[in-house]
Amino acid sequence: MPEQPYDVITMGRIGVDLYPLRTGVPLARVDTFGKFLGGSPSNVAVAAARLGRRTAVVTRTGEDPFGDYLREQLREFGVDARWVTPVAVYPTPVTFCEVFPPDDFPLYFYRQPKAPDLEIHAFELDLEAVRAARVFWMTGTGLCAEPSRTATLAALRARDRSGITVFDLDWRPMFWPPGVSEPSPSARYREALAHATVAVGNLDECEIATGEREPYAAARALIEAGVELAVVKQGPAGVLAVHRDGTVADVEPLPVDVVNGLGAGDAFGGALCHGLLSGWDLARTMRYANAAGAIVAARLACSSAMPFPHEVEAALTEGAVTAHGERA
């Protein structure tokens, strides 16, 4: 009997997040860290799995104990790790953060000389599975270097705009080689947008992709670039979603006592996938995704903090989120 398609396949970044176990302390004075699975598309897969979706990740780690740890974590979270393969020549990336609530969370990426997740080759892809997935999720980081760029575009072309194909704009300027002018990152983004049906990004990311920073103008520009649905995240101002058919949802965030805002966008992404797969209307989907993001913002970690359905529903019912301990 043939295997059923995945609900969600994500592709791109993975690494180990090391977070201080005390907030409000600079790294120079931190003496105890928690170790967590990290990397935005990997966290999105975890978030969708927590909400009951069958998920998988296409990525690569180092051939080292940290790589083993990440594959074990994915399996524990219910994410299929069959396409998470080792690279012998590069170490698994590590990311440190400082946690200064409510809105200062500096990140320090250690991805030198090159991150294994940028060593995804097109010939290694299971294009049949990518094509069949109900949602395929890729990120801007995957476009910053070869062979990842060619592999990411190959996956997008294989999709041929079928199902739900999400481009998470994910602009990380430190990952792009210095001095590269042509094709520019913006041109790379436009090339990918032509193959996507959904675009998701904050105002900075939308500006890189479209040149527009005003939310409605950015959403319109993303739709003109080819997508059916543009989702513009505005932090404390909430989220704006505009569909090509004219449907608009402008949703305020839930009140939350922020502990660490770094994983909120990934929780939002997993919940967005869940809402789109559930066939909900746009406003309901955005409210649900906002609530999932707010829950994670009230917790220290990213991957292990992703909420379960009953937690999201409770937050929506209560109309606010307060700090919680991590949930296993």
Side-chain angles (χ1 to χ4, degrees), residues 179-328:
V180 175
S181 57
E182 292 297 335
S184 66
S186 295
R188 300 290 190 190
Y189 273 51
R190 288 193 295 273
E191 184 178 6
L193 282 168
H195 300 284
T197 64
V198 180
V200 183
N202 61 32
L203 295 177
D204 292 337
E205 293 164 341
C206 289
E207 188 173 18
I208 288 295
T210 69
E212 299 286 355
R213 189 171 182 87
E214 193 280 323
Y216 281 91
R220 288 192 295 269
L222 288 168
I223 289 172
E224 289 170 3
V227 304
E228 299 295 314
L229 174 63
V231 180
V232 182
K233 297 184 289 187
Q234 305 171 72
V239 61
L240 170 69
V242 179
H243 196 278
R244 181 179 293 274
D245 67 10
T247 306
V248 175
D250 196 347
V251 179
E252 294 182 357
L254 286 183
V256 56
D257 299 325
V258 175
V259 174
N260 182 359
L262 292 175
D266 302 335
F268 180 99
L272 172 64
C273 294
H274 180 63
L276 293 174
L277 289 171
S278 299
W280 297 341
D281 65 57
L282 195 56
R284 180 181 178 186
T285 299
M286 292 303 112
R287 286 194 298 269
Y288 194 93
N290 256 355
I295 289 169
V296 174
R299 298 173 176 176
L300 177 63
C302 291
S303 52
S304 63
M306 296 301 168
F308 293 95
H310 71 274
E311 295 176 305
V312 182
E313 295 294 346
L316 288 168
T317 299
E318 295 167 8
V321 176
T322 54
H324 293 69
E326 309 299 345
R327 303 299 174 92

Side-chain angles (χ1 to χ4, degrees), residues 10-17 37-44 57-61 70 74 93 95 107 109 111 115-118 120 137-142 144 148 168-172 174-175 205 262 266:
T10 69
M11 179 175 177
R13 200 163 76 248
I14 195 169
V16 175
D17 285 347
L37 179 147
S40 181
S42 301
N43 282 336
V44 168
V57 179
V58 179
T59 190
R60 306 196 75 182
T61 71
L70 293 173
L74 286 169
T95 302
L107 285 168
F109 293 97
R111 291 169 60 87
D117 55 53
L118 295 175
I120 303 171
W137 180 289
M138 48 71 64
T139 78
T141 295
C144 76
S148 172
D168 175 2
L169 301 179
D170 185 40
W171 171 242
R172 303 283 184 176
M174 69 287 291
F175 296 164
E205 293 164 341
L262 292 175
D266 302 335

Side-chain angles (χ1 to χ4, degrees), residues 3 9 73 76 92 98 140-142 155 170 176 229 246 260 270 303 317:
E3 191 172 52
I9 293 178
Q73 284 289 285
E76 287 184 15
T92 300
E98 292 178 305
T141 295
D170 185 40
W176 290 74
L229 174 63
N260 182 359
S303 52
T317 299

